[in-house]
Amino acid sequence: MRCCALVRDLHTGEELGIEPDTELPSASLVKVPLALATAERIRRGELDGATVLDVQPGRITTPGPTGLSRFRHPARIAIDDLLYLSTCVSDGTAADALFELTPPGRVTDILQEFGLRGFTIRHGMRELSDTPAERFDAAQAHLAQTLAIDAGTTGRGHRVPQLDTTRASTGSARAYVELLQALWTPSKIPSEVAARVRDLMAHNVLRHRLAPDFSSDATTWSSKTGTLLNLRHEIGVVEHSDGQAFAIAVLTESIVPASTQPGADALMAQAARRLRDHLRQL
């Protein structure tokens, strides 16, 4: 498994990383910049969080997608609730409803206004639901994984467009840690907007990856995962009861052709925990 990671002490700025500047497809991590841009537009009065939208169902039946993506019938949902579904439940259909209000280019513009660079946001989430994994039945899932592993180029191109860094939305571990730092410490992001995104990440329901190594009665773990074919990512902030806080970004590419890899999730958590432990002892 290839691992690109960065852990930063949010108070001292000290950091440790593994290939932290390598760009990889962001998958669902892009929903955090989307949440930030949406919350900022609500603050500006450009959007009203109470506005109710008619959202068409995703009707996706393959394993993985959540929320509206699996709905069979249309639903009427407020923008504030779409934010929750997109960020906390990683609902791609909810995210696409938000992208229709704030397209990828506008999300990028708002990030740059806040001094956040290193992201490329090219498309919504609907594109991520049309990969080889959706074209094979469950018994052939390994074929989609094999294609994801073997069809790349040395220049980070790929026959699967969602994995091609020239066509997909991308980011690096460093770019995501910079975003986390801007959300958790004073920055150009308005305090009420940062607080809104922090609260959404604190209520992330997908807690099988890094959370087991960073959750306890003496810590708070706020995070967002991203998964696409052989990509497994997670970003988050662990806040300790003694006041220490660390921003963590782990972006990975597996070389094992299997959809379910709890061992890879555990290895990600162990690597991040070791980097955090070393920094905490400095």
Side-chain angles (χ1 to χ4, degrees):
M1 180 173 70
R2 181 179 189 178
C3 178
C4 302
L6 186 65
V7 178
R8 178 182 296 169
D9 186 320
L10 289 179
H11 297 312
T12 68
E14 294 177 324
E15 62 183 34
L16 287 172
I18 304 167
E19 296 187 56
D21 298 304
T22 298
E23 288 192 357
L24 290 175
S26 292
S28 285
L29 294 185
V30 76
K31 293 168 184 172
V32 178
L34 173 62
L36 171 59
T38 303
E40 170 61 8
R41 293 194 65 206
I42 291 172
R43 184 195 70 84
R44 295 177 183 180
E46 298 173 1
L47 298 174
D48 183 346
T51 299
V52 176
L53 303 179
D54 293 317
V55 182
Q56 295 302 309
R59 296 195 179 98
I60 296 175
T61 58
T62 52
T66 59
L68 295 169
S69 298
R70 304 190 74 85
F71 274 31
R72 296 176 181 271
H73 307 286
R76 301 192 73 221
I77 303 181
I79 292 173
D80 277 334
D81 296 325
L82 289 169
L83 259 178
Y84 167 77
L85 290 171
S86 172
T87 312
C88 304
V89 187
S90 203
D91 182 343
T93 297
D96 276 333
L98 296 177
F99 269 126
E100 288 182 11
L101 299 172
T102 309
R106 185 72 192 281
V107 175
T108 301
D109 289 343
I110 291 173
L111 289 177
Q112 291 180 348
E113 288 176 25
F114 294 146
L116 296 168
R117 292 173 173 78
F119 300 96
T120 302
I121 303 175
R122 294 187 170 98
H123 55 73
M125 307 309 297
R126 193 169 294 109
E127 288 82 350
L128 298 185
S129 65
D130 185 24
T131 72
E134 283 70 45
R135 302 175 191 178
F136 294 109
D137 60 36
Q140 297 176 309
H142 65 284
L143 297 178
Q145 295 290 328
T146 299
L147 179 62
I149 293 165
D150 295 338
T153 70
T154 56
R156 306 298 303 170
H158 207 286
R159 288 175 59 190
V160 177
Q162 295 89 341
L163 300 178
D164 187 331
T165 57
T166 67
R167 290 183 283 177
S169 296
T170 63
S172 65
R174 184 176 302 282
Y176 277 105
V177 164
E178 292 288 347
L179 172 58
L180 294 172
Q181 174 135 21
L183 289 168
W184 258 262
T185 63
S187 70
K188 292 181 180 180
I189 300 175
S191 58
E192 62 266 40
V193 173
R196 179 73 187 281
V197 179
R198 291 198 304 269
D199 182 69
L200 288 167
M201 294 180 67
H203 289 90
N204 176 26
V205 302
L206 302 177
R207 306 181 70 81
H208 64 290
R209 195 159 283 163
L210 301 190
D213 274 66
F214 291 102
S215 296
S216 76
D217 289 345
T219 63
T220 299
W221 174 245
S222 305
S223 63
K224 179 73 191 75
T225 59
T227 308
L228 176 68
L229 294 172
N230 66 324
L231 302 180
R232 288 168 177 78
H233 306 330
E234 186 158 357
I235 63 172
V237 170
V238 58
E239 299 171 87
H240 298 278
S241 58
D242 64 4
Q244 286 189 301
F246 298 85
I248 299 168
V250 184
L251 282 60
T252 72
E253 292 178 304
S254 174
I255 58 172
V256 177
S259 299
T260 302
Q261 296 185 46
D265 293 328
L267 184 59
M268 290 173 62
Q270 292 167 14
R273 176 72 177 264
R274 288 186 180 182
L275 292 172
R276 191 288 311 268
D277 288 350
H278 186 76
L279 277 179
R280 202 175 186 201
Q281 295 168 3
L282 293 179

